[in-house]
Amino acid sequence: MTTPPAHLLIGHRGAAGVAPENTVAAFEVARSSGAQFFELDVQLSADGVPFAFHDPTPARTTNAAEVFPGRENDPVTLFTWAELQQLDAGSSFSDAFRGERIPHLDDAVRVAGDAIGVFIEIKSPATSPGIEDVVAQRLRTDPRWQRLLRDGRIEVLGFDAASNQRFAALAPEVPLQQLVYRVPDAEALERISTYAGQVGTNHRWLNAAAVDRVRAAGLGMSVYTVNAERNFNRMVALGVDRITTDFPVEFSRKHLTAVDHDAVTVQ
């Protein structure tokens, strides 16, 4: 058999380079890509339903201007779940995806099945009060999420340190990643290590010294969002643990080629 990958590959917002982000269609592309995980962003509707969506408003990725004229730039978290389900989240990407809906968080675990894991980014927790508890409850009580958790195929992540710490207190059994724009100093990394196991940073500013700081703090090293081959190769050379990309199909093929080239045969 071949050696396992030295790093995990994560489809960003499903597979945002080839399908409308944070939709079932994008999750399905990621599931069949050969990536180990797909990532999504989660927010809460006005009536408390966890749904997959990145932006603070529905203007960019939906037809909210047509369905709810004058509300397209309102916070997406002020829409009820029933209202969100009236929006088309696919046609802004391509007519081929017309009619794609905003998914419920649980659509992700349905698509994942036994084939792939899920990264859940808690997006803008200040506009979704109580979202940490809602996500923790889903992971704790839904047998499908519990199966993924037992299999090591769930991770929660976010930029908001206070939100991450709240989640860690609620669900210490769930792997947690602190997102940052640049790797901070050793003191900040030491604080992060008290509640998270991974640091995820923008790949553009990552260098060997930053990776060494992360390792010295006992943390794993993740990067986002790597879409060019030269950057992918640089991240592999730096020895990062996870690489998030909008193009999981393309980079899974490159990754498998690299693994096959360095394969170890076991008798």
Side-chain angles (χ1 to χ4, degrees):
M1 63 183 179
T2 59
T3 55
H7 54 267
L8 300 179
L9 191 68
I10 297 95
H12 186 229
R13 305 180 196 172
V18 296
E21 63 184 58
N22 282 311
T23 64
V24 166
F27 302 160
E28 289 174 341
V29 171
R31 180 185 61 195
S32 62
S33 71
Q36 287 78 41
F37 289 82
F38 65 80
E39 179 262 359
L40 61 86
D41 304 284
V42 65
Q43 304 190 56
L44 292 184
S45 67
D47 48 346
V49 176
F51 66 98
F53 204 80
H54 175 270
D55 288 7
T57 78
R60 179 178 66 89
T61 61
T62 78
N63 63 340
E66 300 171 16
V67 180
F68 300 109
R71 295 182 64 193
E72 64 271 17
N73 291 309
D74 288 353
V76 70
T77 52
L78 293 184
F79 289 75
T80 66
W81 175 239
E83 289 174 329
L84 292 171
Q85 288 299 280
Q86 297 177 54
L87 300 177
D88 181 335
S91 58
S92 63
F93 184 89
S94 165
D95 282 342
F97 295 100
R98 186 173 297 279
E100 196 74 26
R101 299 301 171 193
I102 294 173
H104 191 288
L105 174 62
D106 289 345
D107 285 323
V109 73
R110 174 179 60 80
V111 172
D114 294 324
I116 195 168
V118 182
F119 275 25
I120 303 171
E121 179 177 346
I122 293 178
K123 180 62 63 175
S124 305
T127 61
S128 293
I131 189 169
E132 300 87 0
D133 188 61
V134 170
V135 173
Q137 280 290 101
R138 299 304 305 171
L139 302 188
R140 184 180 299 120
T141 60
D142 189 303
R144 298 168 300 176
W145 286 115
Q146 280 287 295
R147 184 173 67 252
L148 255 66
L149 184 60
R150 287 194 301 270
D151 292 345
R153 293 191 289 132
I154 294 178
E155 188 160 311
V156 169
L157 55 159
F159 282 96
D160 188 305
S163 172
N164 286 341
Q165 290 172 63
R166 284 194 293 273
F167 186 86
L170 289 164
E173 73 280 12
V174 179
L176 188 63
Q177 180 181 154
Q178 177 66 55
L179 293 173
V180 297
Y181 293 103
R182 292 177 185 253
V183 173
D185 61 23
E187 184 177 352
L189 289 169
E190 189 64 31
R191 288 195 297 272
I192 290 169
S193 72
T194 64
Y195 61 86
Q198 288 274 333
V199 168
T201 189
N202 191 311
H203 72 90
R204 290 181 177 86
W205 301 291
L206 190 66
N207 56 33
V211 174
D212 288 345
R213 288 202 304 279
V214 171
R215 300 294 189 208
L219 294 161
M221 182 79 257
S222 301
V223 290
Y224 62 85
T225 302
V226 182
N227 290 334
E229 185 172 1
R230 66 183 184 278
N231 295 325
F232 182 88
N233 292 339
R234 191 171 75 86
M235 293 303 104
V236 172
L238 284 172
V240 304
D241 300 305
R242 290 94 173 273
I243 300 175
T244 297
T245 177
D246 289 329
F247 300 95
V249 175
E250 178 181 0
F251 284 104
S252 179
R253 289 172 181 157
K254 294 180 188 300
H255 175 268
L256 289 172
T257 299
V259 170
D260 287 344
H261 182 267
D262 295 329
V264 173
T265 301
V266 178
Q267 300 297 330

